[in-house]
């Protein structure tokens, strides 16, 4: 059991590191030109540095206090948007994007060495938002980075998209789990949800209300970058059943589009 848990942490840690690397300018080259001003601007790089610093402090602070749930971790991090934005602005100071990028690459190397060390971090650690499972911290911060990729249009590893879909599905199951609607996001995940109004409770097989979409569409809906009606009209999702549109009432899971607008806003 312990070995399996350690493999799970290593898998998430590896995905975290590769995703962070894909969101930073290449380590070689040394400059961030005007064409990359939005993609790799100072606020973008500074926020990655905030995530990396937060992760380094978190995974090196073990605790025996009972951890909060994954849904609570994500909700509390969202509430801390203003704090994270302030920290990011302090990180920027008067540095150029190129200097910040070099600092971020060094910080990422340090985080990687800690996350992938043997033995790895403690199972439960103290974070910015309270005691958490180290896996839940990695899931939440990976979701932060995936949302940044949606905001900036950066290509990231597909495994990061899959992990974040599973994270959001787990939160939906915790907060709105039921037997009326099945939300499918192949090949990442599927979750059964309750209707927001009175609806049938299905006990065997597939519920009568089914919504299916690709991972990017689900991530855009679940993080506030798009809306159910527009995605349905555009043919980005398939939906059937009289209660399937109730899914619109529980999305986004967390409005990261709004949060990133605040965090990444230019001076």
């Amino acid at each position: 059991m312990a070995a399996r848990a350690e493999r799970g942490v290593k898998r998430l840690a590896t995905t975290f590191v590769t995703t962070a690397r894909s969101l930073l300018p290449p380590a070689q080259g040394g400059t961030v030109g005007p064409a990359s001003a939005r993609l790799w601007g100072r606020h973008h790089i500074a926020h990655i540095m905030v995530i990396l610093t937060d992760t380094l402090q978190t995974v090196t602070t073990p605790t025996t206090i009972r951890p909060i749930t994954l849904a609570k971790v994500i909700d509390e991090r969202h509430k801390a948007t203003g704090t994270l934005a302030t920290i990011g602005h302090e990180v920027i100071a008067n540095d150029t994007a190129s200097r910040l990028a070099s600092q971020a690459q060094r910080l990422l190397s340090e985080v990687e060495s800690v996350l992938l060390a043997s033995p790895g971090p403690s199972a439960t650690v103290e974070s910015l938002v309270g005691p958490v499972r180290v896996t839940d911290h990695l899931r939440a911060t990976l979701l932060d980075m995936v949302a940044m990729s949606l905001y900036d249009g950066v290509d990231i590893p597909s495994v990061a998209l899959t992990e974040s879909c599973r994270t959001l599905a787990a939160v939906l199951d915790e907060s709105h789990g039921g037997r009326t609607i099945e939300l499918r996001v192949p090949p990442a995940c599927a979750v059964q949800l309750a209707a927001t109004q009175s609806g049938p409770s299905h006990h065997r097989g597939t519920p009568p209300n089914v919504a299916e979409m690709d991972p990017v569409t689900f991530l855009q809906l679940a993080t506030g970058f798009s809306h159910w009606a527009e995605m349905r009209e555009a043919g980005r999702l398939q939906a059937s059943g009289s209660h399937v549109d109730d899914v619109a009432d529980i999305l986004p899971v967390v409005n990261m589009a709004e949060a990133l607008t605040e965090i990444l806003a230019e001076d």
Side-chain angles (χ1 to χ4, degrees):
M1 184 67 72
R4 181 178 178 181
E6 185 173 352
R7 287 195 299 272
V9 173
K10 287 289 192 294
R11 175 178 53 78
L12 278 168
T14 299
T15 302
F16 176 99
V17 170
T18 56
T19 303
R21 186 166 289 122
S22 70
L23 289 170
L24 290 173
Q28 297 179 349
T31 60
V32 178
S36 302
R38 172 178 166 82
L39 181 61
W40 286 319
R42 296 193 306 157
H43 288 74
H44 176 114
I45 298 169
H47 188 50
I48 292 294
M49 292 176 69
V50 171
I51 292 172
L52 293 173
T53 301
D54 175 30
T55 296
L56 186 60
Q57 293 175 343
T58 297
V59 301
T60 55
T61 311
T63 184
T64 57
I65 301 174
R66 183 177 179 179
I68 60 180
T69 66
L70 175 62
K72 185 72 170 175
V73 173
I74 291 173
D75 183 54
E76 290 299 320
R77 288 187 67 86
H78 182 62
K79 291 177 181 177
T81 293
T83 299
L84 295 173
T86 298
I87 295 172
H89 280 70
E90 292 172 352
V91 167
I92 290 169
N94 294 318
D95 275 340
T96 64
S98 295
R99 288 182 60 184
L100 288 170
S102 295
Q103 295 171 34
Q105 291 289 356
R106 291 194 294 271
L107 184 56
L108 177 56
S109 295
E110 188 175 356
V111 172
E112 181 178 17
S113 66
V114 172
L115 285 178
L116 300 181
S118 292
S122 297
T124 306
V125 290
E126 187 65 36
S127 77
L128 173 73
V129 298
V132 300
R133 296 177 183 84
V134 69
T135 50
D136 286 351
H137 173 80
L138 292 174
R139 289 186 178 103
T141 48
L142 180 61
L143 179 60
D144 288 344
M145 292 190 287
V146 168
M148 286 187 72
S149 79
L150 296 175
Y151 182 92
D152 284 322
V154 183
D155 290 332
I156 59 171
S158 60
V159 65
L161 302 179
T162 297
E163 287 289 355
S164 289
C165 285
R166 291 171 179 169
T167 293
L168 291 163
V171 174
L172 281 173
D173 184 49
E174 183 178 328
S175 58
H176 296 283
R179 299 176 182 274
T180 304
I181 306 164
E182 182 160 293
L183 176 60
R184 300 173 181 169
V185 189
C189 59
V191 60
Q192 292 192 357
L193 307 169
T196 55
Q197 306 297 324
S198 60
S201 181
H202 195 71
H203 294 279
R204 296 186 64 184
T206 302
N209 300 274
V210 177
E212 183 171 319
M213 65 201 74
D214 63 85
V216 172
T217 298
F218 176 57
L219 288 167
Q220 290 173 332
L221 287 168
T223 56
F225 284 92
S226 59
H227 302 284
W228 181 266
E230 67 179 285
M231 287 302 204
R232 188 160 187 184
E233 184 177 349
R236 293 282 298 277
L237 61 91
Q238 293 75 50
S240 61
S242 58
H243 289 276
V244 72
D245 287 320
D246 285 10
V247 177
D249 297 333
I250 59 176
L251 296 175
V253 178
V254 55
N255 196 338
M256 302 190 80
E258 180 180 80
L260 285 174
T261 298
E262 178 178 347
I263 290 172
L264 301 180
E266 296 295 326
D267 292 326

